Amino acid sequence: MGEINHLIPLLTPYKMEIFNLSHRIVLAPLYRARAYNNVPQPHAILYYSQRATKGGLLIAEATSISPSSKYPNSPGIWSREQIEAWKPIVDAVHAKGGIFFCQIVHVGRVSEEADGEAPISSTNKPLKSGNGMQPRALQTDEIPSIINDFRIAARNAMEAGLDKFITTSSTGTGFDGVEIHGAHGFLIDQFLKDQVNDRRDKYGGSLENRCRFALEVVEAVVEEIGEDRVGIRLSPFSDYNECIDSNPQELGLYMAQSLSKHGVVYLHMVEPRWNISGENVESPYTLEPMKKAFNGTFIVAGGYDREEGNKAVAENKTNLVAYGRLFLANPDLPKRFEVDAPLNMYNRDTFYTHDPIVGYTDYPYLEDTA
């Protein structure tokens, strides 16, 4: 990007433990429905490398940890074929000097039927809308194997490059780290939230019990790949996938405090105002108490534009800002923010279509529109 303009808060460098970021604009993890049969495809090489900058952080789309987590045309990282398919994508991001985290997920009750098995969850309550599947509540003694699937997925992510990670630099390695997906009504969120989790074992009931699964996943993944390489995403205020908590502020705060003890490198939180419709809604809540309670890097997401992102960084309400739709439509978003250029408008109709180019890699760069 050439010389960074240090008068623009989003374009100031930031040290995220072992990672030296050149700016604070993060590619948010975005489901794009283009990983056919749950295998990353060659067209993702261009998609991610278009959005990579030297010292810029990219978070890959939600990537399933096991065959029991099936989401249509979303990638997985449990099989050798998937790991091999990720390698050229990761290498392309590293070739541009980017820092690349893999978001690992189990979708829980939102899953499609997996080999004739019912989707697993914290509960046997089905979604009112959606897949029409009857989930099965995990038995207490099954939970360690799910935690182990997260651990193995993290290890696989670190292998998905030229060779196994040996240094703290990003060149010639697999993913630089993983983001545990604890948001948006997927499996971890189904344990966290009291309107879904109706368990009577040590994983249900009290706030501490509902957070136990999430924190055991964190502990296992940190043990496997190191705390400097583990982030987590949470959305306590969101009702996405019918996952609601009666006291989201308390939930967010407890998790922020607990995660500080585990030493994860970042906490990525979705703004209370964020709505799946894409319109920001009024909310009495803010993320500020969680930012104060967490001792690592804080990332916010949800409806930010250039001005709001700059303001949030300048006022120390966050360290980094994740952009989804704007980054999707503007592969050179950091450059556009730097020169305050107009932005391409995103086309919502092609967010989740399966075309390998249209609405995916064909959004123009600034110089192409000049």
Side-chain angles (χ1 to χ4, degrees), residues 252-308:
L253 206 50
Y254 178 82
M255 282 299 291
Q257 290 161 345
S258 305
L259 289 162
S260 290
K261 297 180 192 133
H262 286 277
V264 295
V265 69
Y266 72 71
L267 172 55
H268 179 185
M269 292 197 79
V270 178
E271 281 287 350
R273 66 183 184 187
W274 179 83
N275 186 294
I276 187 67
S277 71
E279 301 306 313
N280 289 339
V281 294
E282 286 294 309
S283 172
Y285 299 112
T286 76
L287 295 176
E288 285 180 56
M290 290 106 215
K291 162 83 166 67
K292 287 196 177 79
F294 182 66
N295 62 10
T297 295
F298 201 73
I299 307 178
V300 294
Y304 279 86
D305 59 14
R306 179 181 186 269
E307 186 186 355
E308 285 183 304

CSV table of all heavy atoms in Angstrom, one decimal, residues 252-308:
chain,number,residue,atom,x,y,z
A,252,GLY,N,-21.5,-11.7,28.0
A,252,GLY,CA,-20.4,-11.1,27.3
A,252,GLY,C,-19.2,-10.8,28.3
A,252,GLY,O,-18.0,-11.0,28.0
A,253,LEU,N,-19.6,-10.2,29.4
A,253,LEU,CA,-18.6,-9.8,30.4
A,253,LEU,C,-17.9,-11.0,31.0
A,253,LEU,O,-16.7,-11.0,31.2
A,253,LEU,CB,-19.4,-9.0,31.5
A,253,LEU,CG,-18.5,-8.0,32.3
A,253,LEU,CD1,-17.7,-7.1,31.4
A,253,LEU,CD2,-19.5,-7.1,33.2
A,254,TYR,N,-18.7,-12.0,31.4
A,254,TYR,CA,-18.1,-13.2,32.0
A,254,TYR,C,-17.2,-13.9,31.0
A,254,TYR,O,-16.1,-14.3,31.4
A,254,TYR,CB,-19.2,-14.2,32.4
A,254,TYR,CG,-18.7,-15.5,33.0
A,254,TYR,CD1,-18.3,-15.6,34.3
A,254,TYR,CD2,-18.5,-16.6,32.2
A,254,TYR,CE1,-17.8,-16.7,34.8
A,254,TYR,CE2,-18.0,-17.8,32.7
A,254,TYR,CZ,-17.6,-17.9,34.0
A,254,TYR,OH,-17.1,-19.0,34.6
A,255,MET,N,-17.5,-14.0,29.7
A,255,MET,CA,-16.7,-14.6,28.7
A,255,MET,C,-15.4,-13.7,28.5
A,255,MET,O,-14.3,-14.3,28.4
A,255,MET,CB,-17.4,-14.7,27.4
A,255,MET,CG,-18.3,-16.0,27.4
A,255,MET,SD,-17.5,-17.6,27.6
A,255,MET,CE,-16.5,-17.7,26.1
A,256,ALA,N,-15.5,-12.4,28.5
A,256,ALA,CA,-14.3,-11.5,28.3
A,256,ALA,C,-13.4,-11.7,29.5
A,256,ALA,O,-12.1,-11.9,29.3
A,256,ALA,CB,-14.8,-10.1,28.2
A,257,GLN,N,-13.9,-11.8,30.7
A,257,GLN,CA,-13.0,-12.0,31.9
A,257,GLN,C,-12.4,-13.4,31.8
A,257,GLN,O,-11.2,-13.5,32.1
A,257,GLN,CB,-13.9,-11.8,33.1
A,257,GLN,CG,-14.3,-10.4,33.4
A,257,GLN,CD,-15.5,-10.3,34.4
A,257,GLN,OE1,-16.2,-11.2,34.6
A,257,GLN,NE2,-15.7,-9.1,34.8
A,258,SER,N,-13.1,-14.4,31.5
A,258,SER,CA,-12.6,-15.8,31.5
A,258,SER,C,-11.6,-15.9,30.4
A,258,SER,O,-10.5,-16.6,30.6
A,258,SER,CB,-13.7,-16.8,31.2
A,258,SER,OG,-14.8,-16.6,32.2
A,259,LEU,N,-11.8,-15.3,29.2
A,259,LEU,CA,-10.9,-15.4,28.1
A,259,LEU,C,-9.6,-14.8,28.4
A,259,LEU,O,-8.5,-15.2,27.9
A,259,LEU,CB,-11.5,-14.9,26.8
A,259,LEU,CG,-12.6,-15.7,26.2
A,259,LEU,CD1,-13.5,-14.9,25.3
A,259,LEU,CD2,-12.1,-17.0,25.6
A,260,SER,N,-9.6,-13.7,29.2
A,260,SER,CA,-8.4,-13.0,29.6
A,260,SER,C,-7.5,-14.0,30.4
A,260,SER,O,-6.2,-14.0,30.2
A,260,SER,CB,-8.7,-11.8,30.5
A,260,SER,OG,-9.3,-10.8,29.8
A,261,LYS,N,-8.1,-14.9,31.2
A,261,LYS,CA,-7.3,-15.8,32.0
A,261,LYS,C,-6.7,-16.9,31.0
A,261,LYS,O,-5.6,-17.5,31.4
A,261,LYS,CB,-8.2,-16.5,33.0
A,261,LYS,CG,-8.7,-15.6,34.0
A,261,LYS,CD,-9.6,-16.3,35.1
A,261,LYS,CE,-10.4,-15.4,35.9
A,261,LYS,NZ,-11.8,-15.7,36.0
A,262,HIS,N,-7.3,-17.2,29.9
A,262,HIS,CA,-6.8,-18.2,29.0
A,262,HIS,C,-5.7,-17.6,28.0
A,262,HIS,O,-5.1,-18.3,27.3
A,262,HIS,CB,-7.9,-18.8,28.2
A,262,HIS,CG,-8.7,-19.7,29.0
A,262,HIS,ND1,-8.4,-21.1,29.2
A,262,HIS,CD2,-9.9,-19.6,29.6
A,262,HIS,CE1,-9.3,-21.7,29.9
A,262,HIS,NE2,-10.2,-20.8,30.2
A,263,GLY,N,-5.6,-16.2,28.0
A,263,GLY,CA,-4.5,-15.6,27.3
A,263,GLY,C,-4.7,-15.6,25.8
A,263,GLY,O,-3.7,-15.5,25.0
A,264,VAL,N,-6.0,-15.8,25.3
A,264,VAL,CA,-6.1,-15.8,23.8
A,264,VAL,C,-5.7,-14.5,23.2
A,264,VAL,O,-5.8,-13.4,23.9
A,264,VAL,CB,-7.6,-16.1,23.4
A,264,VAL,CG1,-7.9,-17.6,23.8
A,264,VAL,CG2,-8.6,-15.2,23.9
A,265,VAL,N,-5.3,-14.5,22.0
A,265,VAL,CA,-4.7,-13.3,21.4
A,265,VAL,C,-5.7,-12.2,21.1
A,265,VAL,O,-5.5,-11.0,21.2
A,265,VAL,CB,-3.8,-13.6,20.1
A,265,VAL,CG1,-4.7,-14.1,19.0
A,265,VAL,CG2,-3.0,-12.4,19.7
A,266,TYR,N,-6.9,-12.6,20.7
A,266,TYR,CA,-8.0,-11.6,20.5
A,266,TYR,C,-9.4,-12.1,20.8
A,266,TYR,O,-9.6,-13.3,20.8
A,266,TYR,CB,-7.9,-11.0,19.0
A,266,TYR,CG,-8.3,-11.9,17.9
A,266,TYR,CD1,-9.7,-12.2,17.7
A,266,TYR,CD2,-7.4,-12.4,16.9
A,266,TYR,CE1,-10.1,-13.0,16.6
A,266,TYR,CE2,-7.8,-13.1,15.8
A,266,TYR,CZ,-9.2,-13.4,15.7
A,266,TYR,OH,-9.6,-14.2,14.6
A,267,LEU,N,-10.2,-11.1,21.1
A,267,LEU,CA,-11.6,-11.3,21.2
A,267,LEU,C,-12.3,-10.5,20.2
A,267,LEU,O,-12.2,-9.3,20.1
A,267,LEU,CB,-12.1,-10.9,22.6
A,267,LEU,CG,-13.6,-10.9,22.9
A,267,LEU,CD1,-14.2,-12.2,22.6
A,267,LEU,CD2,-13.8,-10.5,24.4
A,268,HIS,N,-13.1,-11.2,19.3
A,268,HIS,CA,-13.8,-10.5,18.2
A,268,HIS,C,-15.3,-10.5,18.5
A,268,HIS,O,-15.9,-11.6,18.6
A,268,HIS,CB,-13.4,-11.4,17.0
A,268,HIS,CG,-14.1,-10.9,15.7
A,268,HIS,ND1,-13.9,-11.6,14.5
A,268,HIS,CD2,-14.8,-9.8,15.4
A,268,HIS,CE1,-14.6,-11.0,13.5
A,268,HIS,NE2,-15.1,-9.9,14.0
A,269,MET,N,-15.9,-9.4,18.7
A,269,MET,CA,-17.3,-9.3,19.1
A,269,MET,C,-18.1,-8.6,18.1
A,269,MET,O,-17.7,-7.6,17.5
A,269,MET,CB,-17.3,-8.6,20.5
A,269,MET,CG,-16.7,-9.5,21.6
A,269,MET,SD,-17.2,-9.1,23.3
A,269,MET,CE,-18.8,-9.8,23.4
A,270,VAL,N,-19.3,-9.1,18.0
A,270,VAL,CA,-20.3,-8.5,17.1
A,270,VAL,C,-21.1,-7.4,17.8
A,270,VAL,O,-21.6,-7.7,18.9
A,270,VAL,CB,-21.2,-9.6,16.5
A,270,VAL,CG1,-22.3,-9.0,15.6
A,270,VAL,CG2,-20.4,-10.7,15.8
A,271,GLU,N,-21.2,-6.3,17.2
A,271,GLU,CA,-21.9,-5.1,17.9
A,271,GLU,C,-23.4,-5.5,18.2
A,271,GLU,O,-24.1,-6.1,17.4
A,271,GLU,CB,-21.9,-3.9,16.9
A,271,GLU,CG,-20.6,-3.2,16.9
A,271,GLU,CD,-20.4,-2.3,18.1
A,271,GLU,OE1,-21.3,-2.2,19.0
A,271,GLU,OE2,-19.3,-1.8,18.3
A,272,PRO,N,-23.9,-5.0,19.3
A,272,PRO,CA,-25.3,-5.2,19.7
A,272,PRO,C,-26.2,-4.7,18.6
A,272,PRO,O,-27.3,-5.3,18.4
A,272,PRO,CB,-25.4,-4.4,21.0
A,272,PRO,CG,-24.1,-4.3,21.6
A,272,PRO,CD,-23.1,-4.3,20.4
A,273,ARG,N,-25.8,-3.7,17.9
A,273,ARG,CA,-26.7,-3.1,16.9
A,273,ARG,C,-26.8,-3.9,15.6
A,273,ARG,O,-27.7,-3.7,14.8
A,273,ARG,CB,-26.2,-1.7,16.5
A,273,ARG,CG,-24.9,-1.8,15.8
A,273,ARG,CD,-24.3,-0.4,15.5
A,273,ARG,NE,-23.0,-0.6,14.7
A,273,ARG,CZ,-22.2,0.4,14.4
A,273,ARG,NH1,-22.5,1.6,14.8
A,273,ARG,NH2,-21.1,0.1,13.7
A,274,TRP,N,-25.9,-4.9,15.4
A,274,TRP,CA,-25.9,-5.6,14.2
A,274,TRP,C,-27.1,-6.5,14.0
A,274,TRP,O,-27.5,-7.1,14.9
A,274,TRP,CB,-24.6,-6.5,14.1
A,274,TRP,CG,-24.5,-7.2,12.8
A,274,TRP,CD1,-24.0,-6.8,11.6
A,274,TRP,CD2,-24.9,-8.6,12.6
A,274,TRP,NE1,-24.1,-7.8,10.7
A,274,TRP,CE2,-24.7,-8.9,11.2
A,274,TRP,CE3,-25.5,-9.6,13.4
A,274,TRP,CZ2,-24.9,-10.2,10.7
A,274,TRP,CZ3,-25.8,-10.8,12.8
A,274,TRP,CH2,-25.5,-11.1,11.5
A,275,ASN,N,-27.6,-6.5,12.8
A,275,ASN,CA,-28.8,-7.3,12.5
A,275,ASN,C,-28.5,-8.0,11.1
A,275,ASN,O,-27.9,-7.4,10.2
A,275,ASN,CB,-30.0,-6.3,12.4
A,275,ASN,CG,-31.3,-7.1,12.2
A,275,ASN,OD1,-31.5,-7.7,11.1
A,275,ASN,ND2,-32.2,-7.0,13.1
A,276,ILE,N,-28.9,-9.2,11.0
A,276,ILE,CA,-28.7,-10.0,9.8
A,276,ILE,C,-29.2,-9.3,8.6
A,276,ILE,O,-28.7,-9.5,7.5
A,276,ILE,CB,-29.3,-11.4,10.0
A,276,ILE,CG1,-28.8,-12.3,8.8
A,276,ILE,CG2,-30.8,-11.5,10.1
A,276,ILE,CD1,-27.4,-12.7,8.7
A,277,SER,N,-30.2,-8.5,8.7
A,277,SER,CA,-30.8,-7.8,7.6
A,277,SER,C,-29.8,-6.8,6.9
A,277,SER,O,-29.9,-6.4,5.8
A,277,SER,CB,-32.0,-6.9,8.0
A,277,SER,OG,-31.6,-5.8,8.8
A,278,GLY,N,-28.7,-6.5,7.7
A,278,GLY,CA,-27.8,-5.5,7.2
A,278,GLY,C,-28.0,-4.1,7.7
A,278,GLY,O,-27.2,-3.2,7.5
A,279,GLU,N,-29.2,-3.9,8.3
A,279,GLU,CA,-29.5,-2.6,8.8
A,279,GLU,C,-29.1,-2.6,10.3
A,279,GLU,O,-29.4,-3.5,11.0
A,279,GLU,CB,-31.0,-2.2,8.7
A,279,GLU,CG,-31.5,-2.2,7.3
A,279,GLU,CD,-30.7,-1.3,6.4
A,279,GLU,OE1,-30.5,-0.2,6.8
A,279,GLU,OE2,-30.4,-1.8,5.3
A,280,ASN,N,-28.4,-1.5,10.8
A,280,ASN,CA,-28.1,-1.4,12.2
A,280,ASN,C,-29.4,-1.0,12.9
A,280,ASN,O,-30.2,-0.2,12.5
A,280,ASN,CB,-27.1,-0.3,12.4
A,280,ASN,CG,-25.7,-0.7,11.9
A,280,ASN,OD1,-25.5,-1.9,11.8
A,280,ASN,ND2,-24.9,0.3,11.7
A,281,VAL,N,-29.6,-1.7,14.1
A,281,VAL,CA,-30.8,-1.4,14.9
A,281,VAL,C,-30.4,-0.7,16.2
A,281,VAL,O,-29.2,-0.8,16.6
A,281,VAL,CB,-31.5,-2.8,15.2
A,281,VAL,CG1,-32.1,-3.4,14.0
A,281,VAL,CG2,-30.6,-3.8,15.9
A,282,GLU,N,-31.3,0.0,16.8
A,282,GLU,CA,-31.0,0.6,18.1
A,282,GLU,C,-30.8,-0.4,19.1
A,282,GLU,O,-31.5,-1.4,19.2
A,282,GLU,CB,-32.2,1.5,18.5
A,282,GLU,CG,-32.4,2.8,17.6
A,282,GLU,CD,-31.2,3.8,17.9
A,282,GLU,OE1,-30.9,4.1,19.0
A,282,GLU,OE2,-30.6,4.2,16.9
A,283,SER,N,-29.8,-0.2,20.0
A,283,SER,CA,-29.6,-1.1,21.1
A,283,SER,C,-29.1,-0.2,22.3
A,283,SER,O,-28.3,0.7,22.2
A,283,SER,CB,-28.5,-2.1,20.8
A,283,SER,OG,-28.1,-2.8,21.9
A,284,PRO,N,-29.6,-0.6,23.5
A,284,PRO,CA,-29.2,0.1,24.7
A,284,PRO,C,-27.8,-0.4,25.2
A,284,PRO,O,-27.1,0.3,26.0
A,284,PRO,CB,-30.2,-0.4,25.8
A,284,PRO,CG,-30.7,-1.7,25.3
A,284,PRO,CD,-30.6,-1.7,23.8
A,285,TYR,N,-27.2,-1.4,24.5
A,285,TYR,CA,-26.0,-2.0,25.0
A,285,TYR,C,-24.8,-1.5,24.1
A,285,TYR,O,-25.0,-1.1,23.0
A,285,TYR,CB,-26.0,-3.5,24.8
A,285,TYR,CG,-27.1,-4.2,25.7
A,285,TYR,CD1,-28.1,-4.8,25.0
A,285,TYR,CD2,-27.0,-4.2,27.0
A,285,TYR,CE1,-29.1,-5.5,25.8
A,285,TYR,CE2,-27.9,-4.9,27.8
A,285,TYR,CZ,-29.0,-5.5,27.2
A,285,TYR,OH,-29.9,-6.2,27.9
A,286,THR,N,-23.6,-1.5,24.7
A,286,THR,CA,-22.4,-1.3,23.9
A,286,THR,C,-21.4,-2.5,24.3
A,286,THR,O,-21.6,-3.2,25.3
A,286,THR,CB,-21.7,0.0,24.2
A,286,THR,OG1,-21.0,-0.1,25.5
A,286,THR,CG2,-22.7,1.2,24.3
A,287,LEU,N,-20.3,-2.5,23.5
A,287,LEU,CA,-19.3,-3.5,23.8
A,287,LEU,C,-18.2,-3.0,24.8
A,287,LEU,O,-17.3,-3.7,25.1
A,287,LEU,CB,-18.6,-4.0,22.5
A,287,LEU,CG,-19.5,-4.7,21.5
A,287,LEU,CD1,-18.7,-5.0,20.2
A,287,LEU,CD2,-20.0,-6.0,22.1
A,288,GLU,N,-18.3,-1.8,25.2
A,288,GLU,CA,-17.2,-1.2,26.0
A,288,GLU,C,-16.9,-1.9,27.3
A,288,GLU,O,-15.7,-2.1,27.6
A,288,GLU,CB,-17.6,0.3,26.3
A,288,GLU,CG,-17.4,1.2,25.1
A,288,GLU,CD,-17.7,2.7,25.4
A,288,GLU,OE1,-17.1,3.2,26.3
A,288,GLU,OE2,-18.5,3.2,24.7
A,289,PRO,N,-17.9,-2.5,28.1
A,289,PRO,CA,-17.5,-3.2,29.2
A,289,PRO,C,-16.7,-4.5,28.9
A,289,PRO,O,-15.8,-4.8,29.7
A,289,PRO,CB,-18.9,-3.6,29.9
A,289,PRO,CG,-19.9,-2.7,29.3
A,289,PRO,CD,-19.4,-2.3,27.9
A,290,MET,N,-16.9,-5.1,27.8
A,290,MET,CA,-16.2,-6.3,27.4
A,290,MET,C,-14.7,-5.9,27.0
A,290,MET,O,-13.8,-6.6,27.3
A,290,MET,CB,-16.9,-7.0,26.2
A,290,MET,CG,-18.1,-7.7,26.7
A,290,MET,SD,-19.6,-6.8,26.1
A,290,MET,CE,-20.7,-7.0,27.4
A,291,LYS,N,-14.6,-4.8,26.3
A,291,LYS,CA,-13.3,-4.3,25.9
A,291,LYS,C,-12.5,-4.0,27.1
A,291,LYS,O,-11.3,-4.4,27.2
A,291,LYS,CB,-13.5,-3.0,25.0
A,291,LYS,CG,-12.2,-2.1,24.9
A,291,LYS,CD,-11.3,-2.6,23.8
A,291,LYS,CE,-10.2,-1.6,23.4
A,291,LYS,NZ,-9.2,-1.3,24.4
A,292,LYS,N,-13.1,-3.4,28.1
A,292,LYS,CA,-12.4,-3.1,29.4
A,292,LYS,C,-12.0,-4.4,30.1
A,292,LYS,O,-10.9,-4.4,30.7
A,292,LYS,CB,-13.2,-2.2,30.3
A,292,LYS,CG,-13.4,-0.8,29.9
A,292,LYS,CD,-13.9,0.1,31.0
A,292,LYS,CE,-14.0,1.6,30.6
A,292,LYS,NZ,-15.2,1.8,29.8
A,293,ALA,N,-12.8,-5.4,30.1
A,293,ALA,CA,-12.6,-6.6,30.8
A,293,ALA,C,-11.6,-7.5,30.2
A,293,ALA,O,-11.0,-8.4,30.8
A,293,ALA,CB,-13.9,-7.3,31.0
A,294,PHE,N,-11.3,-7.4,28.9
A,294,PHE,CA,-10.5,-8.3,28.1
A,294,PHE,C,-9.1,-7.7,28.0
A,294,PHE,O,-8.9,-6.5,27.6
A,294,PHE,CB,-11.1,-8.6,26.7
A,294,PHE,CG,-10.2,-9.6,26.0
A,294,PHE,CD1,-10.1,-10.9,26.4
A,294,PHE,CD2,-9.6,-9.2,24.8
A,294,PHE,CE1,-9.3,-11.8,25.7
A,294,PHE,CE2,-8.8,-10.1,24.1
A,294,PHE,CZ,-8.7,-11.4,24.5
A,295,ASN,N,-8.0,-8.5,28.3
A,295,ASN,CA,-6.7,-8.0,28.3
A,295,ASN,C,-5.9,-8.2,27.0
A,295,ASN,O,-4.7,-7.9,27.0
A,295,ASN,CB,-5.9,-8.5,29.5
A,295,ASN,CG,-5.8,-10.0,29.5
A,295,ASN,OD1,-6.1,-10.6,28.4
A,295,ASN,ND2,-5.3,-10.6,30.5
A,296,GLY,N,-6.5,-8.7,26.0
A,296,GLY,CA,-5.8,-8.9,24.7
A,296,GLY,C,-6.3,-7.9,23.7
A,296,GLY,O,-6.9,-6.9,24.0
A,297,THR,N,-6.1,-8.3,22.4
A,297,THR,CA,-6.6,-7.4,21.3
A,297,THR,C,-8.1,-7.6,21.1
A,297,THR,O,-8.6,-8.7,21.2
A,297,THR,CB,-5.9,-7.9,20.0
A,297,THR,OG1,-4.5,-7.6,20.1
A,297,THR,CG2,-6.4,-7.1,18.8
A,298,PHE,N,-8.8,-6.4,21.0
A,298,PHE,CA,-10.2,-6.4,20.8
A,298,PHE,C,-10.6,-6.0,19.4
A,298,PHE,O,-10.0,-5.1,18.8
A,298,PHE,CB,-10.8,-5.4,21.8
A,298,PHE,CG,-12.3,-5.6,22.1
A,298,PHE,CD1,-12.7,-6.6,22.9
A,298,PHE,CD2,-13.3,-4.7,21.6
A,298,PHE,CE1,-14.0,-6.8,23.2
A,298,PHE,CE2,-14.6,-4.9,21.9
A,298,PHE,CZ,-15.0,-6.0,22.7
A,299,ILE,N,-11.4,-6.8,18.8
A,299,ILE,CA,-11.9,-6.6,17.4
A,299,ILE,C,-13.4,-6.4,17.4
A,299,ILE,O,-14.1,-7.2,18.0
A,299,ILE,CB,-11.5,-7.7,16.4
A,299,ILE,CG1,-10.1,-8.1,16.5
A,299,ILE,CG2,-11.9,-7.4,15.0
A,299,ILE,CD1,-9.6,-9.3,15.6
A,300,VAL,N,-13.9,-5.3,16.8
A,300,VAL,CA,-15.4,-5.1,16.7
A,300,VAL,C,-15.8,-5.4,15.3
A,300,VAL,O,-15.0,-5.2,14.3
A,300,VAL,CB,-15.8,-3.7,17.1
A,300,VAL,CG1,-15.6,-3.5,18.6
A,300,VAL,CG2,-15.1,-2.6,16.3
A,301,ALA,N,-17.0,-5.8,15.1
A,301,ALA,CA,-17.6,-6.0,13.8
A,301,ALA,C,-19.1,-5.7,13.8
A,301,ALA,O,-19.7,-5.8,14.9
A,301,ALA,CB,-17.5,-7.4,13.3
A,302,GLY,N,-19.6,-5.2,12.7
A,302,GLY,CA,-21.1,-5.0,12.6
A,302,GLY,C,-21.5,-3.6,12.2
A,302,GLY,O,-21.7,-2.7,13.1
A,303,GLY,N,-21.5,-3.4,10.9
A,303,GLY,CA,-22.1,-2.2,10.4
A,303,GLY,C,-21.2,-0.9,10.5
A,303,GLY,O,-21.7,0.2,10.5
A,304,TYR,N,-19.9,-1.1,10.5
A,304,TYR,CA,-18.9,0.0,10.6
A,304,TYR,C,-18.7,0.5,9.1
A,304,TYR,O,-18.6,-0.2,8.2
A,304,TYR,CB,-17.6,-0.4,11.2
A,304,TYR,CG,-17.6,-0.4,12.7
A,304,TYR,CD1,-18.1,-1.5,13.4
A,304,TYR,CD2,-17.3,0.7,13.4
A,304,TYR,CE1,-18.2,-1.5,14.8
A,304,TYR,CE2,-17.3,0.7,14.8
A,304,TYR,CZ,-17.8,-0.4,15.5
A,304,TYR,OH,-17.9,-0.3,16.8
A,305,ASP,N,-18.6,1.9,9.1
A,305,ASP,CA,-18.0,2.5,7.8
A,305,ASP,C,-16.7,3.1,8.2
A,305,ASP,O,-16.1,2.8,9.3
A,305,ASP,CB,-19.0,3.5,7.3
A,305,ASP,CG,-19.3,4.7,8.3
A,305,ASP,OD1,-18.6,4.8,9.3
A,305,ASP,OD2,-20.3,5.4,8.0
A,306,ARG,N,-16.1,3.8,7.3
A,306,ARG,CA,-14.8,4.4,7.5
A,306,ARG,C,-14.7,5.3,8.7
A,306,ARG,O,-13.9,5.2,9.5
A,306,ARG,CB,-14.3,5.1,6.2
A,306,ARG,CG,-12.9,5.8,6.3
A,306,ARG,CD,-12.6,6.5,5.0
A,306,ARG,NE,-11.3,7.1,4.9
A,306,ARG,CZ,-11.0,8.3,5.3
A,306,ARG,NH1,-11.9,9.1,5.8
A,306,ARG,NH2,-9.7,8.7,5.3
A,307,GLU,N,-15.7,6.2,8.7
A,307,GLU,CA,-15.7,7.3,9.7
A,307,GLU,C,-15.9,6.6,11.1
A,307,GLU,O,-15.2,7.0,12.1
A,307,GLU,CB,-16.9,8.3,9.5
A,307,GLU,CG,-16.9,9.4,10.4
A,307,GLU,CD,-18.1,10.3,10.2
A,307,GLU,OE1,-18.9,10.0,9.2
A,307,GLU,OE2,-18.3,11.2,11.0
A,308,GLU,N,-16.8,5.7,11.2
A,308,GLU,CA,-17.1,5.1,12.5
A,308,GLU,C,-15.9,4.2,13.0
A,308,GLU,O,-15.6,4.1,14.2
A,308,GLU,CB,-18.3,4.2,12.5
A,308,GLU,CG,-19.6,4.9,12.4
A,308,GLU,CD,-20.8,4.0,12.4
A,308,GLU,OE1,-20.9,3.1,11.5
A,308,GLU,OE2,-21.6,4.1,13.3
